[in-house]
Amino acid sequence: MRHVDTSLLEALRADADLQRTAAAALANDGDRAPLTLRKAGIAPDLAAAALTLADLRAHAKAKFGERAERMFFTRAGLEQATRWVVAERRAARFAAHAREVTDLCCGLGTEALAFAAAGLRVAAVDMSEETAAFARANAEAMGLPVEVAVGDALQTPLAESAFADPARRSGAGRNFNPAEYSPPLDPLLEHMASARFAALKLGPGIGHEWIPEGAEAEWVSVDRDVVEACLWLGDAAEVPRRASLCKAGEWHELTGSGEERAPVGEVAAYLYEPDGAVIRAGLVAELAERLGAHTAYESIAYLYSDRLVETPFARAWKAEEVWPLHPKKLKALLAERGIGRLTIKQRGTGIDPAALRKQLKLKGGNEATLVLTRLGDTHAAILCREA
């Protein structure tokens, strides 16, 4: 809800019929939904808040499933909120090592709810009174015991375990510099050192130079979408790097040092594209070893092997032909094969796939994937079909 004050939140919480009416109006009347609520005698500000909530709940289902229908959201809070499947898994890891947790920068309370559902005693803190009110509303809606207070994360005493999800947005948009998080990463890490078992959620684009010595850095993807990074601190750090993938509701993990390099060789019968979490965690070499594969250029994360190995950590293609990376030649070769539907992937070439697609002027009823990449000292295009 955009800048909804706590009085409107309380009014919405108290009126389940209004929540249902707004959801039905939005679903049935679309852009005319505000008029529908006005005709029903609902005050304009309350109607706007109810419709915004209905809209956010609809979008939140991708993260929270049916739970979203009972929860309360702000737009910014929903954007940063952890997916339930990720929060639930993280809470289970905490619950195996601690009995209570301090949740700093709790936002709408997603992590706090997951911690409480896992049996932990939870003290949640947020700097914003409005945001804290939403966290309380969500705890009550879910029937979970969560204590929510307003306070400064850096001044909050920590329990034996702690979690933090610093704000990565400002009025200018998303912050990619951890020094501009709220609170900034370095002082937050220093504060969290007082907890025996701790974790800190970060944006997935975090650079490895920000990973403190002795920490575990984990990247998480859900159905091939890299959704976050997480630093595990103190007793929580188990391995240097971890890639955790959730596919169709099932979790898979790959761990390693993040410092190994895969062997380099030639294009082979199969091309593997590692999951983004594997790439960001620097675990391509560990995956290559599992697959009996190699790269064709040291710094490009495509793997090649003559064996087809089923793995949750990568997609596999049958490499059918290798062509020079010249747009005019590619246009003719694709036309000869009647390929009119083409997925274009690229790494290491600097080519814009959208611009290349216009040059190719594709026609025909066949479908394929074209991988633009480097092979040794040359650029090449590999015609593939998913294995």
Side-chain angles (χ1 to χ4, degrees):
M1 284 180 263
R2 186 179 304 169
H3 303 298
V4 175
D5 63 31
T6 54
S7 63
L8 286 176
L9 173 62
E10 292 307 312
L12 282 175
R13 290 178 62 190
D15 196 338
D17 286 340
L18 174 57
Q19 295 176 39
R20 288 190 288 269
T21 298
L26 191 65
N28 298 328
D29 302 329
D31 292 342
R32 295 180 59 81
L35 179 60
T36 301
L37 294 193
R38 285 201 296 273
K39 286 183 177 179
I42 300 168
D45 57 348
L46 187 56
L51 289 171
T52 301
L53 174 61
D55 179 59
L56 290 175
R57 281 177 168 174
H59 285 90
K61 284 185 178 181
K63 285 188 173 184
F64 298 99
E66 296 307 312
R67 294 174 188 83
E69 295 180 0
R70 290 180 283 159
M71 296 178 66
F72 297 87
F73 301 98
T74 64
R75 199 167 302 279
L78 177 57
E79 288 174 353
Q80 182 157 324
T82 304
R83 294 172 185 247
W84 183 258
V85 67
V86 178
E88 188 175 46
R89 174 175 172 271
R90 181 157 43 229
R93 185 166 169 180
F94 267 79
H97 297 274
R99 290 180 294 180
E100 57 183 353
V101 59
T102 306
D103 181 3
L104 303 174
C105 318
C106 71
L108 300 179
T110 304
E111 303 280 353
L113 298 177
F115 287 138
L120 289 154
R121 189 169 67 190
V122 187
V125 177
D126 198 274
M127 180 69 79
S128 164
E129 175 62 59
E130 179 183 335
T131 303
F134 276 83
R136 292 189 196 100
N138 285 326
E140 182 174 320
M142 299 292 285
L144 291 167
V146 176
E147 296 179 10
V148 183
V150 177
D152 183 344
L154 298 180
Q155 301 300 319
T156 300
L158 304 182
E160 60 173 330
S161 74
F163 174 79
D165 183 5
R168 294 180 293 281
R169 287 186 173 275
S170 65
R174 186 174 298 174
N175 283 327
F176 295 97
N177 182 358
E180 296 178 358
Y181 287 178
S182 180
L185 180 56
D186 282 343
L188 185 56
L189 284 168
E190 184 177 351
H191 180 54
M192 294 182 73
S194 65
R196 175 182 61 80
F197 190 98
L200 197 157
K201 178 183 169 183
L202 304 169
I206 186 76
H208 285 220
E209 68 274 11
W210 286 94
I211 301 171
E213 185 176 354
E216 173 187 322
E218 175 190 33
W219 277 261
V220 180
S221 72
V222 177
D223 295 326
R224 295 178 177 156
D225 180 18
V226 184
V227 296
E228 67 169 64
C230 182
L231 295 181
W232 294 88
L233 310 166
D235 290 352
E238 297 176 351
V239 293
R241 301 288 183 271
R242 188 188 306 267
S244 298
L245 287 58
C246 183
K247 293 193 173 180
E250 184 176 353
W251 284 97
H252 309 270
E253 293 185 359
L254 183 66
T255 61
S257 69
E259 297 178 355
E260 301 298 321
R261 294 292 177 264
V264 179
E266 302 295 326
V267 173
Y270 297 96
L271 181 153
Y272 293 89
E273 180 183 26
D275 186 276
V278 174
I279 295 172
R280 289 182 183 271
L283 298 175
V284 172
E286 284 80 355
L287 178 58
E289 184 176 4
R290 284 194 178 196
L291 300 176
H294 56 266
T295 64
Y297 190 82
E298 185 179 44
S299 61
I300 295 179
Y302 287 130
L303 296 173
Y304 305 87
S305 175
D306 285 324
R307 293 190 303 138
L308 179 60
V309 180
E310 186 175 349
T311 175
F313 299 106
R315 296 178 69 184
W317 281 267
K318 181 73 172 69
E320 297 190 335
E321 300 184 62
V322 181
W323 299 330
L325 187 44
H326 300 303
K328 288 185 179 179
K329 292 181 180 179
L330 292 177
K331 178 182 176 182
L333 289 166
L334 293 166
E336 286 175 8
R337 289 152 182 79
I339 296 173
R341 298 188 305 278
L342 186 68
T343 299
I344 302 175
K345 296 176 172 287
Q346 86 82 28
R347 283 193 185 137
T349 68
I351 290 176
D352 178 0
L356 176 62
R357 183 182 299 280
K358 291 181 181 179
Q359 293 178 271
L360 297 177
K361 298 180 180 178
L362 300 166
K363 294 180 181 179
N366 295 325
E367 185 174 359
T369 296
L370 193 67
V371 176
L372 315 179
T373 188
R374 292 194 65 169
L375 306 178
D377 295 330
T378 64
H379 288 168
I382 306 173
L383 186 69
C384 302
R385 300 189 189 277
E386 192 150 10

